[in-house]
Amino acid sequence: MKTAKQKKWWTALGGLFAGFLNGLFGAGGGMVVVPMLERAGYEEVKSHAMSVSIILPICVLSAGIYLWNGHVALQDALPYLPWMLGGSLLGAWLLPRCKPRFLHIVFGLLILWAAVRMVFG
């Protein structure tokens, strides 16, 4: 069993790594945050919901940095925004209705699909 001090270190390292991944790849930090929260003892649905809440501020920060440095123009992203907001509403409505086993399977398949696309894509 981990001590409180060890848990704090693992939490800090996991958070640092998730922020790093988010800044580098976009919202990829969720692939670190969800398992980290589950290992900390949170149930799967809550882990996914907390991950979104944790990733939101670092996504806003990363987007602000990219916009500030001119790496992306807001008008290029705007056409996607309404559809992504709609998908977010649907996902937030659906998450509490999903069985934990289903979430594990879908999340694992999503990670595998992303890995295959990255390697062969």
Side-chain angles (χ1 to χ4, degrees), residues 33-52:
V33 174
V34 170
M36 181 181 73
L37 291 170
E38 287 179 358
R39 290 208 60 176
Y42 292 99
E43 61 188 51
E44 294 169 46
V45 171
K46 189 166 187 164
S47 294
H48 286 271
M50 284 176 61
S51 173
V52 172

Side-chain angles (χ1 to χ4, degrees), residues 16-76:
L16 182 64
F17 190 57
F20 169 75
L21 289 177
N22 184 77
L24 191 60
F25 297 121
M31 292 183 186
V32 172
V33 174
V34 170
M36 181 181 73
L37 291 170
E38 287 179 358
R39 290 208 60 176
Y42 292 99
E43 61 188 51
E44 294 169 46
V45 171
K46 189 166 187 164
S47 294
H48 286 271
M50 284 176 61
S51 173
V52 172
S53 300
I54 291 166
I55 297 296
L56 175 64
I58 60 178
C59 283
V60 170
L61 177 62
S62 296
I65 291 169
Y66 287 129
L67 287 166
W68 180 265
N69 290 323
H71 296 296
V72 67
L74 190 57
Q75 63 268 21
D76 293 337

Side-chain angles (χ1 to χ4, degrees), residues 105-121:
I105 292 168
V106 171
F107 191 65
L109 289 172
L110 181 62
I111 291 172
L112 286 172
W113 175 69
V116 167
R117 288 203 57 219
M118 301 271 51
V119 172
F120 300 109

